[in-house]
Every structure is written in structure tokens, then in C-alpha cells.
Amino acid sequence: MRTRLSVIIGVVLALNIGSMCFAADNSTITPTNSIVGDATLTLDQVLNDIEKNSVSIQTKEQKILLYQRKFDRDTMDANVIKNSGATQTNYPNGQYVNIKLATDIVPRSDEQNIKDAKHDKDDSLQNLKFSTEQEYLTALSCQDQVNTINDQIKNIEEQISQTKVKIANGQLTNNALQSLQVQETQLQASLNQPKAQLQQNLLSIKQAINMDLDGKLTLVSAEESFVKYDDSNIEDKINKAVYNNYNIGKINNNLDILRAEEDIYKKYAYDDDSGAISTSLNIQDLENKLDDTELTIKTNLWNGYYNLKNLEDAVETEQAKVASAQSTYDTTAAKVQQGVLTQLQADSAALALKSEKINLKNVINNYTVAVEQFEYNLTQ
């Protein structure tokens, strides 16, 4: 009987080694661009392409498959042992503990690893979508800023041209030209920041959708509406989110596995108590981690909520600025009609209004993505 059991254990060890080698041979993904050449994409298309093409997400999917294979192999090994009909009496003192761990603990740990890998993949995908949506909307905003600044430069150039004529006619001195030239220089310099940000955004989007970095990416305009987040019963929502959070359930499940493991060591480890002591310490660490994790989750959710409130204030501030710029433009346009001001001055007021509207659009985009992410975090 001992010989038969030795053969069984040997087979199990061989299968485990084979499983490890098999995993190693199948854990590499060779990245190839999913989108080659130029592309014009909407926001929805970009978000869908992330799910289909992202190399980082594909790597996480591969990880799930490897954990599943390990689970299948370990379950098969456990069944081989169970079907052998062997009991504790068939093993030397202290050896049966390893058999019980292989049959009762290892498959449960594998199953938890699969759940964790799936959650990690889903969570990473959703957060990548959030960050890419932000990159997309910021890129559109930067493009609007570049266009508006270029229009402002044209307006200044026209003012400079008219001022030069007036200087030549003796109506103005050269001092009138200097302030306009300074404004033109400042506007030229202000193009650098949105242009650099735009390129950074486009590169990040290309990477997320696995697009050729040398290809030209054109983004279709997207408009987000400002809808205030309903924060009624926010404390109950956050408390419920903490209670149902995946990481809390994960820790509790791992604690159950560790307690079962501790029982096995106490029952079958014979005169070696090192395994039980080590497992007991792991249980204490995980119980402490549970308290810390609950506090961290709750703190992060409250921080996320107050970040929303700050963004709401930013939207309202920009709305006030747009209203003021609109009033200035309306007044200027009326004076142009009366012949008091020039059309160039009305154009300047119109461009200032356009600039404020871009700023408002940008903070609304930030708020919208923040609301989406906060609502998602409440479901984790």
C-alpha cells in the first residue's frame, strides 16, 4: 500500500511540475498593432477598441487562463488522491498534512486567484476606459484652445495692421503698436502648452487602443452635458459600498481558507507546530488588513465625493465667467451697431467668450468623468 501511495504522490508532483512548465510556455503575448495607419474615431469607438485591442488587458486575460489551468490541474491532482481511498493511517506521521492541503486548500486558493484575476482585469479595463475618456475629451479641448488662440492671433494681427495705418497717418504713436505686439508674442507662446498636451493625449489614446503611434488619429467631436450627481443618502451609499466592496469579500474568503488550513495543521501535522503558527500569524495579519482596508475604502470614497463637490463649484464658477463674457460681448456688439466701437473689438469680445466656453466645456468634461468613476467605485 505504501508503494502505491508513493506512486500516487509521485504522479501528483509530476503533474504539478508539468503544469508550471505549461504555464511558463503560454504566458507571453507578442504585441502587434491592432490599428495600422490613420484613423478617425468617435469616443465610443475608442472605448470599444480598448476592450478589443489593449495589450495590457490581453495580458490580464492570459493570466486568468493560466490560473484556470492551474486550478484544473490541482483539482485533478486532488481527485487522484481522493479516489485512491487512502486515509491518514496509510501515511507516516506528519505526512498526511500535505495530502489534506493538496485536496482541501490548494484548489480553494486557486479558485480565489481566478476570481481575483478576473476582477483585476475588469477593474483595470474600466479604469483604463475612464482615463482614456478623459484623454479624449482633454484632447478635444486642447484642439479648441489651439484654434481659438490662432483666431485671437489673427485678430491681433489685424489690429496691428490697422494701427500701423493710423500711425502712418499720424493718428497714433508707436507706443500704441507695442502693446499689441506684446499680446501677439504672448499668444504665440501660449500655443505651446495646448499643443504639447494634445500630442500627449493622442499618444496615450493610441497606446490604449494599440494603434500605430506613427499613424494620424483624428477625434470626432463629443459633447458632455452637465448633470449634477444625486448625492441624496450619500452616507448610506458609501457605507453600503464599503460593506459590498470586492476587496472586503476577498479578504474574508482568504481568512476562511487560512482558518481551514490552520485546522489541518493542528489535526495532521503531528509534532510539528510550525505550519499552524505560521498560518495563525497570517490570519492575524489579514484580520488587521481587513480593518485597514475598510478604512481606506471609506476614506477614498469620501474623498471622491468631495472631489465631485469641488468640481461642481468649478463648473458654477466657469458658468459665471461665461455669463460675464456673454454680457461683455452683447454690450460690445451693440456699441458696434451704434458706431461707437469697431468690428475688431466685437471680434475680440467674441473670441474671449469662445475661450470661456471652452474652459466651461473642459470642467464639465472633468466633472462628467469624475461622476462616472465615482459611481463605478460605489459598485466595487
Side-chain angles (χ1 to χ4, degrees):
M1 185 65 180
R2 294 280 177 101
T3 302
R4 179 186 171 204
L5 292 173
S6 298
V7 171
I8 291 171
I9 295 172
V11 171
V12 169
L13 290 173
L15 289 173
N16 280 328
I17 293 172
S19 176
M20 292 171 63
C21 294
F22 184 72
D25 291 340
N26 289 273
S27 59
T28 302
I29 293 177
T30 302
T32 57
N33 292 127
S34 301
I35 302 176
V36 180
D38 301 339
T40 299
L41 299 174
T42 65
L43 177 57
D44 286 341
Q45 287 174 320
V46 166
L47 298 181
N48 288 333
D49 284 340
I50 290 175
E51 193 157 359
K52 294 186 298 182
N53 304 334
S54 171
V55 174
S56 64
I57 300 303
Q58 291 172 9
T59 301
K60 291 181 182 298
E61 289 174 345
Q62 185 75 4
K63 186 177 180 180
I64 294 171
L65 292 176
L66 295 177
Y67 274 129
Q68 183 65 57
R69 289 169 186 163
K70 184 177 184 303
F71 170 74
D72 293 341
R73 179 64 66 183
D74 289 339
T75 300
M76 184 177 69
D77 294 348
N79 289 335
V80 168
I81 296 172
K82 290 176 181 178
N83 294 334
S84 71
T87 63
Q88 183 178 6
T89 59
N90 302 120
Y91 294 86
N93 291 332
Q95 288 192 11
Y96 190 62
V97 64
N98 294 322
I99 298 300
K100 290 294 289 181
L101 292 174
T103 58
D104 296 4
I105 301 301
V106 173
R108 288 181 65 182
S109 296
D110 291 343
E111 197 170 18
Q112 184 62 46
N113 287 336
I114 294 171
K115 291 179 181 178
D116 293 344
K118 287 181 178 179
H119 180 268
D120 178 54
K121 177 253 181 179
D122 293 340
D123 189 55
S124 297
L125 174 60
Q126 192 57 60
N127 282 303
L128 182 56
K129 285 184 176 182
F130 286 138
S131 62
T132 305
E133 180 182 6
Q134 185 71 70
E135 298 276 4
Y136 188 105
L137 296 173
T138 302
L140 292 178
S141 178
C142 287
Q143 186 60 66
D144 287 342
Q145 289 178 32
V146 169
N147 293 337
T148 301
I149 293 172
N150 281 327
D151 289 341
Q152 289 173 327
I153 290 172
K154 290 178 183 178
N155 180 267
I156 289 292
E157 288 173 344
E158 183 62 29
Q159 290 185 53
I160 288 174
S161 178
Q162 291 186 8
T163 300
K164 286 180 177 179
V165 171
K166 290 181 179 181
I167 291 173
N169 293 333
Q171 296 173 278
L172 293 173
T173 65
N174 286 329
N175 290 335
L177 189 61
Q178 292 177 355
S179 63
L180 292 173
Q181 289 174 331
V182 169
Q183 289 180 53
E184 182 183 21
T185 301
Q186 291 174 336
L187 286 170
Q188 291 284 2
S190 69
L191 280 170
N192 294 330
Q193 193 278 331
K195 282 185 175 180
Q197 183 65 56
L198 174 60
Q199 292 306 312
Q200 179 181 324
N201 296 141
L202 291 175
L203 287 172
S204 296
I205 295 169
K206 289 177 185 179
Q207 185 179 39
I209 63 177
N210 195 20
M211 178 179 175
D212 180 6
L213 296 181
D214 293 328
K216 180 182 178 181
L217 175 59
T218 302
L219 306 179
V220 177
S221 181
E223 193 76 30
E224 297 290 347
S225 301
F226 177 55
V227 179
K228 275 192 176 184
Y229 173 71
D230 179 11
D231 61 356
S232 58
N233 302 317
I234 187 62
E235 187 169 0
D236 289 341
K237 290 178 181 178
I238 288 178
N239 289 337
K240 183 179 179 181
V242 174
Y243 180 79
N244 294 322
N245 186 271
Y246 178 84
N247 287 320
I248 300 299
K250 169 185 172 181
I251 292 174
N252 282 323
N253 195 47
N254 283 331
L255 280 170
D256 289 341
I257 295 173
L258 283 174
R259 288 169 183 139
E261 182 178 339
E262 183 183 34
D263 288 341
I264 289 174
Y265 277 118
K266 288 179 177 179
K267 290 179 181 178
Y268 304 110
Y270 195 54
D271 58 353
D272 182 5
D273 59 358
S274 59
I277 293 174
S278 176
T279 306
S280 178
L281 292 173
N282 290 336
I283 291 172
Q284 292 178 24
D285 289 342
L286 209 52
E287 287 174 340
N288 292 333
K289 184 179 180 180
L290 181 61
D291 293 335
D292 293 340
T293 301
E294 288 181 355
L295 179 60
T296 298
I297 294 169
K298 180 171 287 191
T299 300
N300 289 341
L301 287 173
W302 277 113
N303 286 340
Y305 169 70
Y306 284 112
N307 179 57
L308 286 185
K309 301 304 289 183
N310 289 334
L311 289 173
E312 279 182 17
D313 292 341
V315 171
E316 291 174 356
T317 299
E318 286 302 328
Q319 286 174 331
K321 289 182 178 180
V322 168
S324 176
Q326 182 70 58
S327 177
T328 299
Y329 170 74
D330 292 341
T331 300
T332 304
K335 290 184 177 181
V336 170
Q337 293 295 321
Q338 298 168 6
V340 178
L341 297 176
T342 66
Q343 184 57 46
L344 269 177
Q345 288 172 305
D347 292 342
S348 296
L351 289 171
L353 173 59
K354 184 179 179 181
S355 180
E356 291 297 349
K357 286 182 176 179
I358 291 173
N359 292 337
L360 174 60
K361 182 179 178 181
N362 193 38
V363 293
I364 288 175
N365 290 340
N366 293 340
Y367 179 76
T368 301
V369 176
V371 168
E372 292 172 356
Q373 192 152 18
F374 181 70
E375 290 179 329
Y376 168 76
N377 290 336
L378 286 175
T379 66
Q380 291 306 291

